[in-house]
Amino acid sequence: MQQATAAEIRKNTASIIRAPRRLPVAEAVHKYMRVPVGVGNSVAWDPDVAPYIVEPMNCLASREYDAVVFVGPARTGKTIGLIDGWVVYNVVCDPSDMLVVQMTEEKAREHSKKRLARTFRVSPEVAKRLSPLRNDNNVHDRTFLAGNYLKIGWPSINIMSSSDFKCVALTDYDRFPEDVDGEGDAFSLASKRTTTFMSAGMTLVEGSPGREITNTKWRRQTPHEAPPTTGSLSLYNRGDRRRWYWPCPHCSEYFQPAMEAMTGYRDHADPVKASESAHICCPHCTNIITADQKRELNKSGVWLREGEKIDAAGNRTGEARRSRIASFWMEGPAAAYQTWAQLVYKLLTAEQEYETTGSEETLKAVINTDWGLPYLPRASAEQRQSDLLMRRAEDYGKRLVPPKVRFLLAAVDVQGGKKRRFVVQIIGYGENGERWLIDRYNIRQSLRHNENGEAQPIRPDAYPEDWQLLVSDVLDKSYRLQSNEGLRMPVLAMAVDSGGEEGVTDNAYKFWRQCRRDGLSKRVYLIKGDSTKRQKTITKTYPDNSGRADRRAEARGEIPVYLLQTDVLKDQLSNNLARETPGAGYIHFPDWLGDWFYDELTYEERGADGKWRKPGRGNNEAFDLFCYAQAVAVLRGYEKIRDWESPPGWARDQEANASILSGDQVRREPEIKSKSRPPVRNEPAAHPVQGSSGWFESSGNGGWMS
């Protein structure tokens, strides 16, 4: 065992007891760390090569933050600056215990032997602080003369528990397991190791995006927001959300060097020629920025937090987002160690591989690690897009009935929770499945009043009288004809969702009984998603729970409820939405609807099992309501009409339709009494839709309306 001499002890005592050198981290790394560049060669770390790393590095020594998160592509220099540089800083300037966590044991060993060991060897200020004792230094553990300790580990509860560290660094975070040995995510475990040091403790997370987008229908609400994912981008969203900006060399306005700013490479079929043509267009002045300008633009670049703005003179305004996490996210075009030609070439060849093989693995890796972006699977990207449907919108008047509409159907969804309401959609039907959306609105206020005379919110779960609004505000409504605004078309029938929170079903049954007493029951259809897979798309049932003590709704077998195989109806609707030419099966939209409607219409996704699901907590009412209306159309016999020259009276054209009203007439359809018969349970109400007509296509399995 090597023993330190008295002279060496005296020499090192001063450095052991010396107070930390209060230098910015980046300045200290530039001064004390050398980067190995080959056998026996090294250079000083240069902050001008990757200037975007400087600010994240300096945040590591700030007591204003508990954590620093840096998300970016490969070849940005983030590992050298943030991991290796921070280690050097904690050895030379602020001796403290530190834990570096790699994604696997093998990677931890490689990082220790190939990067840290070489950096220590060529950096004199670090080398002389290493403990001379052989047992103090091995692959995973390094001890220094000041008594500070460096551990290089991997995601394991044995490594990430018990011991306290002032500084913890997690590298390539998105390749970590989401749950470390059943104890939680790595960031939470790492942060607990630093709490003993209070504001002096620091956790660093760096890496490239690698986790799936959890909501494929997400739309950015703020300029710096990242898509909803787990992993590093989730931590970025929790932080102050800083993005990297360049000043345009032509107009001096600042912009993000992001993927959408890069262009010019789609004009050539050859990937090599295309990649060499890649350039950036300034979004402000549209002038071209070439690859040889990247280094100088990086030197002039700035990080802006969410809420901050910067003008051409460099003046910052706005209220910056505040957080205990300093979070940074940059994309591939600004990466210091990768050219634009390399970046674009990898993208184009990966896209070619996808087109040839159908495999997305290479494309996903390029988007994640080279471009620094989360990946959206092509299957999700190629599904119905709300923007495409929005561009189809037509100007056929606000709440007017176009000439080809034969009748109107209403569909009502009952929404519970804090925002209780009836969601109503009015759909006009023409020949062979061609449809027009006529109206969409919410019923939020009841006819009940408080002591101040203010209308109270509706409670479909608690007040049966609130359901009468579906008669006055839906069933009795009529809409002006586009061809003659003095004439009006009434609502033929209405579908009402009878499921939901406790109390809704019981009140739905009470509502239908009242409609029967008022002579309206033939126009009101109670529907519900069918949890049982059946051959019939729509099944008529008569619920009877009179013999159950735990019943939630009173039903005695006299109320018809229609169970829908909603996955089948949604498959058909999705196919109809995909039609691009007006005619059979085509759906028209008015131009007064906002983008929220189209988001609802396209929010659900069809899984490989044939079931439709919501990827997140977004709204899907528009999609559901089209299915409700379609079910009523089938029940009314619409799909059986073959001769549109002589259809039933309710489906005749506007000139021959006897239901057309003049002025403010209210249509009331008299109740048609039929001979009494015993109720039938689980009676099929409609034939299977398949084969009924050319426009009404069928596929899929049964399931719940989500």
Side-chain angles (χ1 to χ4, degrees):
M1 179 182 297
Q2 182 180 354
Q3 299 291 332
T5 64
E8 290 174 333
I9 293 175
R10 287 194 300 271
K11 181 180 178 182
N12 294 319
T13 298
S15 65
I16 293 172
I17 64 175
R18 184 168 54 225
R21 303 180 186 181
R22 299 303 182 186
L23 292 175
V25 176
E27 183 179 335
V29 173
H30 176 57
K31 184 175 181 180
Y32 298 117
M33 187 176 84
R34 296 189 65 82
V35 182
V37 294
V39 180
N41 297 320
S42 65
V43 295
W45 180 79
D46 187 359
D48 291 336
V49 176
Y52 43 76
I53 290 292
V54 172
E55 187 171 326
M57 291 174 68
N58 291 337
C59 287
L60 292 169
S62 173
R63 292 180 177 250
E64 183 180 352
Y65 306 106
D66 298 326
V68 173
V69 177
F70 186 93
V71 187
R75 289 168 285 280
T76 56
K78 58 183 183 294
T79 305
I80 296 175
L82 291 171
I83 304 297
D84 301 349
W86 197 26
V87 170
V88 169
Y89 176 83
N90 284 326
V91 172
V92 179
C93 297
D94 189 11
S96 52
D97 292 343
M98 183 174 182
L99 170 64
V100 177
V101 184
Q102 273 282 358
M103 58 180 175
T104 63
E105 182 179 1
E106 182 181 353
K107 283 292 181 181
R109 185 183 299 107
E110 181 182 323
H111 189 191
S112 176
K113 296 177 72 173
K114 286 188 174 183
R115 299 184 66 94
L116 291 178
R118 294 173 181 177
T119 300
F120 291 172
R121 188 164 53 249
V122 299
S123 303
E125 291 295 325
V126 179
K128 69 183 184 181
R129 285 167 169 80
L130 279 168
S131 172
L133 303 179
R134 182 178 299 176
N135 293 336
D136 283 352
N137 294 281
N138 54 56
V139 173
H140 299 296
D141 303 276
R142 304 282 178 140
T143 306
F144 300 88
L145 291 174
N148 51 308
Y149 170 69
L150 170 66
K151 186 173 185 63
I152 305 103
W154 57 94
S156 165
I157 196 61
N158 293 329
I159 292 173
M160 303 184 70
S161 65
S162 301
S163 300
D164 293 324
F165 295 90
K166 181 184 173 185
C167 304
V168 180
L170 311 177
T171 180
D172 212 0
Y173 183 75
D174 280 21
R175 281 75 192 173
F176 282 28
E178 295 197 33
D179 188 5
V180 179
D181 296 340
E183 297 292 330
D185 65 280
F187 177 76
S188 299
L189 294 174
S191 300
K192 290 178 182 178
R193 306 278 66 78
T194 67
T195 54
T196 302
F197 300 89
M198 297 186 289
S199 64
M202 177 62 66
T203 304
L204 166 67
V205 173
E206 69 88 13
S208 304
R211 303 281 176 81
E212 293 185 0
I213 296 176
T214 56
N215 180 5
T216 57
K217 305 301 182 184
W218 167 83
R219 286 192 173 195
R220 181 177 284 110
Q221 301 298 315
T222 59
H224 292 184
E225 184 184 6
T229 69
T230 58
S232 57
L233 280 178
S234 175
L235 299 175
Y236 164 84
N237 274 337
R238 289 161 57 180
D240 52 19
R241 301 181 185 173
R242 308 187 200 194
R243 297 298 301 265
W244 185 240
Y245 283 77
W246 283 350
C248 174
H250 306 285
C251 67
S252 299
E253 294 288 346
Y254 283 79
F255 69 96
Q256 293 185 40
M259 185 179 191
E260 57 260 28
M262 186 160 286
T263 186
Y265 58 90
R266 298 292 185 186
D267 303 330
H268 301 279
D270 182 33
V272 176
K273 290 183 179 179
S275 63
E276 293 171 348
S277 304
H279 58 267
I280 284 179
C281 277
C282 172
H284 302 286
C285 65
T286 68
N287 281 318
I288 292 176
I289 300 170
T290 55
D292 61 314
Q293 298 173 285
K294 180 172 71 172
R295 185 178 177 98
E296 290 302 317
L297 289 172
N298 269 335
K299 288 182 180 180
S300 306
V302 296
W303 288 103
L304 295 184
R305 307 181 197 187
E306 184 84 80
E308 284 187 311
K309 296 181 180 179
I310 189 169
D311 60 21
N315 300 313
R316 301 193 186 203
T317 57
E319 185 176 349
R321 178 183 171 98
R322 297 187 63 193
S323 173
R324 294 290 299 178
I325 300 176
S327 60
F328 305 81
W329 181 23
M330 60 172 289
E331 298 183 25
Y337 298 97
Q338 180 163 245
T339 66
W340 291 354
Q342 293 170 331
L343 192 64
V344 172
Y345 180 79
K346 290 178 181 178
L347 174 65
L348 295 175
T349 53
E351 289 178 342
Q352 287 182 351
E353 181 178 326
Y354 168 73
E355 295 295 335
T356 304
T357 65
S359 174
E360 299 183 66
E361 294 304 314
T362 302
L363 184 59
K364 181 178 185 295
V366 169
I367 295 295
N368 287 161
T369 60
D370 292 289
W371 288 88
L373 295 167
Y375 184 72
L376 179 64
R378 289 297 176 98
S380 299
E382 292 172 357
Q383 288 196 20
R384 293 173 289 104
Q385 295 293 320
S386 62
D387 292 342
L388 297 177
L389 294 177
M390 194 184 307
R391 287 199 287 268
R392 282 175 25 185
E394 308 165 37
D395 180 13
Y396 51 82
K398 192 169 186 177
R399 298 180 175 89
L400 297 180
V401 182
K404 291 185 177 181
V405 173
R406 302 294 187 96
F407 60 90
L408 301 179
L409 295 178
V412 181
D413 193 18
V414 185
Q415 292 291 314
K418 295 181 180 180
K419 299 180 179 179
R420 292 184 175 91
R421 64 196 186 278
F422 292 119
V423 185
V424 185
Q425 206 156 274
I426 309 296
I427 300 164
Y429 274 73
E431 300 178 12
N432 299 314
E434 190 170 9
R435 279 157 282 180
W436 287 258
L437 184 71
I438 306 301
D439 201 1
R440 167 67 185 268
Y441 57 96
N442 297 317
I443 302 175
R444 301 181 184 273
Q445 301 298 320
S446 71
L447 297 178
R448 296 174 286 106
H449 296 83
N450 59 19
E451 59 274 11
N452 298 321
E454 300 171 337
Q456 293 185 323
I458 66 165
R459 288 288 305 270
D461 61 322
Y463 294 93
E465 59 266 35
D466 288 356
W467 287 73
Q468 291 304 308
L469 290 169
L470 298 184
V471 176
S472 60
D473 291 9
V474 182
L475 204 59
D476 285 348
K477 285 180 74 75
S478 58
Y479 290 84
R480 293 175 293 141
L481 303 186
Q482 188 185 41
S483 59
N484 185 349
E485 296 192 21
L487 300 177
R488 306 178 72 89
M489 179 177 287
V491 173
L492 177 67
M494 174 176 67
V496 183
D497 179 18
S498 62
E501 60 185 333
E502 187 172 357
V504 167
T505 300
D506 190 45
N507 285 339
Y509 293 168
K510 292 177 180 177
F511 170 66
W512 190 89
R513 294 188 185 104
Q514 184 63 48
C515 289
R516 182 176 60 187
R517 290 191 289 270
D518 296 339
L520 299 173
S521 61
K522 295 295 184 182
R523 298 170 59 198
V524 178
Y525 296 81
L526 299 183
I527 61 173
K528 188 177 181 181
D530 195 353
S531 59
T532 304
K533 183 179 179 181
R534 308 178 195 271
Q535 291 185 343
K536 307 297 183 182
T537 304
I538 306 171
T539 303
K540 188 178 186 179
T541 63
Y542 291 88
D544 186 355
N545 55 22
S546 56
R548 293 175 52 184
D550 61 340
R551 61 184 183 182
R552 298 174 61 185
E554 184 179 352
R556 300 181 296 272
E558 86 283 18
I559 300 175
V561 177
Y562 300 89
L563 304 181
L564 309 184
Q565 297 285 301
T566 55
D567 287 322
V568 175
L569 292 171
K570 289 181 178 182
D571 281 344
Q572 296 159 0
L573 176 59
S574 181
N575 293 334
N576 294 147
L577 291 171
R579 296 176 184 264
E580 299 179 353
T581 305
Y586 186 83
I587 301 177
H588 302 259
F589 304 105
D591 60 359
W592 52 268
L593 288 169
D595 55 1
W596 57 268
F597 173 83
Y598 300 94
D599 291 342
E600 287 184 8
L601 198 59
T602 58
Y603 188 71
E604 288 198 40
E605 297 176 341
R606 190 181 193 272
D609 57 355
K611 295 185 179 296
W612 288 86
R613 301 178 179 88
K614 296 199 311 179
R617 297 183 178 180
N619 296 329
N620 67 332
E621 287 93 329
F623 197 49
D624 281 351
L625 291 170
F626 265 110
C627 293
Y628 297 172
Q630 183 58 43
V632 173
V634 174
L635 292 169
R636 299 289 294 201
Y638 175 76
E639 50 118 12
K640 297 179 181 179
I641 301 175
R642 296 292 184 269
D643 184 4
W644 284 97
E645 296 296 325
S646 57
W650 51 268
R652 292 176 183 171
D653 61 34
Q654 296 178 8
E655 294 182 356
N657 198 315
S659 64
I660 299 296
L661 309 173
S662 60
D664 296 324
Q665 286 179 277
V666 175
R667 176 181 184 265
R668 291 288 180 136
E669 181 176 302
E671 182 78 8
I672 301 174
K673 295 184 179 181
S674 58
K675 296 181 180 179
S676 60
R677 64 176 179 85
V680 180
R681 309 295 190 267
N682 296 326
E683 174 192 347
H687 295 288
V689 177
Q690 53 265 33
S692 60
S693 66
W695 60 268
F696 206 81
E697 301 168 358
S698 159
S699 61
N701 303 316
W704 284 101
M705 180 83 68
S706 54

